[in-house]
Amino acid sequence: MSAPTPRLRRAAEGPDPVRVLLLHGLGGKPSVWSPLVRRAGAAFELWDVELPWRAQSEGDGWGARPDPGRFLVELLDERFDAVVAHSYAANLVVEAAAAGRTAPRPTVLISPFYRPSPKDFDWSVISYYLNDFHRVFEEALEVGETARFARSHRDWMARQLRDQVGPYGWMRFFEAYLRSPTLDLGAVGSPLLVLSGQRDTAARPEDGRALAARVPGARYELLPGCRHFPMVERPDLVTRLVCEFLRAAVPGAPHADATTLSPQELP
């Protein structure tokens, strides 16, 4: 299985654009970035990609193959000035950076999974993420276009998504989580912003805070009221934080407005 092909989601205006790759999480899809794409400033050239662990990927078999991080290693070439990754993709991005498999570049991790010590994993943790795995997808379905559906229908859809990810996909996710205490985060040379939702019951706020504390110079932001999909729940706030960070962190980035929001609309 070869690496997927990125697509240009929105062109920039003016010379010297900041080229950003947007990476969705497990069981997700590129449309999760639509609120950010609509709000990001004109200096940002935004790309996304359908990753093998996307929604509706039943039968692709990516989870049965070793090293899913290789897809991101192949994608993150010199074309891109920065990367913004959500959830499972955020874990694979930071893991590749810690191992020196990708070149340093400004990076935003949204809702990453991390535990600082192997002792933080016990049977109750495994039971929670295995038996309640569908609840992560329930959170996704409660925001955005599917919020209009009845709760019973969203519950059914969440279990369908869980089943599409399947046991192999779940294993790849949880293996990455289990590896997180072993990462050499001190070796991450990328400017880093970590965002966590205050009410996230999947990737706990403590996960993001602990990860950022171990990366030299990293910045951490806790997003009030948000759960696992803050870029959909509070898009104005997330877009401002992401774009202002990238404008400051990417060398030579234009000093244009970070977002399309007016001062009155800024959170």
Side-chain angles (χ1 to χ4, degrees), residues 31 116 152 204 226:
S31 61
S152 59
R204 312 168 311 157
C226 290

Side-chain angles (χ1 to χ4, degrees), residues 3-222:
T5 302
R7 65 167 183 169
L8 177 62
R9 183 72 178 271
R10 197 205 67 184
E13 297 177 11
D16 303 318
V18 177
R19 191 168 288 115
V20 183
L21 181 61
L22 307 170
L23 302 173
H24 66 76
L26 183 64
K29 51 187 178 179
S31 61
V32 76
W33 300 112
S34 294
L36 185 146
V37 169
R38 289 194 296 267
R39 291 165 172 79
F44 296 96
E45 181 182 291
L46 302 174
W47 293 69
D48 63 21
V49 60
E50 283 198 347
L51 293 161
W53 47 83
R54 69 193 184 280
Q56 308 302 325
S57 60
E58 187 173 14
D60 285 2
W62 69 271
R65 292 167 164 72
D67 189 22
R70 69 178 177 85
F71 295 113
L72 303 189
V73 172
E74 294 176 29
L75 285 169
L76 289 171
D77 57 27
E78 65 278 358
R79 287 175 294 175
F80 298 108
D81 301 306
V83 59
V84 180
H86 177 240
S87 192
Y88 177 60
N91 276 72
L92 297 183
V93 165
V94 76
E95 186 172 284
R101 299 178 70 190
T102 53
R105 77 196 75 214
T107 298
V108 181
L109 306 179
I110 301 178
S111 307
F113 295 86
Y114 178 75
R115 300 285 173 114
S117 170
K119 295 180 180 179
D120 294 325
F121 292 100
D122 58 21
W123 293 115
S124 67
V125 174
I126 296 173
S127 176
Y128 174 76
Y129 283 98
L130 178 62
N131 297 310
D132 291 333
F133 191 50
H134 62 285
R135 298 194 185 281
V136 178
F137 303 117
E138 286 179 357
E139 286 197 11
L141 296 167
E142 287 175 6
V143 296
E145 60 188 22
T146 54
R148 69 183 188 277
F149 297 144
R151 176 64 182 268
S152 59
H153 186 62
R154 293 199 307 268
D155 290 348
W156 174 83
M157 292 175 67
R159 286 175 166 79
Q160 289 293 109
L161 283 168
R162 176 202 61 192
D163 293 347
Q164 287 168 13
V165 169
Y168 279 104
W170 182 87
M171 285 293 294
R172 297 293 86 80
F173 152 71
F174 205 71
E175 284 171 353
Y177 203 1
L178 288 171
R179 286 194 302 268
S180 63
T182 71
L183 301 182
D184 182 8
L185 295 179
V188 175
S190 303
L192 185 67
L193 171 65
V194 180
L195 305 179
S196 295
Q198 181 187 33
R199 298 172 54 220
D200 193 340
T201 58
R204 312 168 311 157
E206 305 97 287
D207 287 24
R209 185 181 294 110
L211 191 160
R214 286 160 176 78
V215 176
R219 173 181 160 197
Y220 176 73
E221 292 282 348
L222 181 65

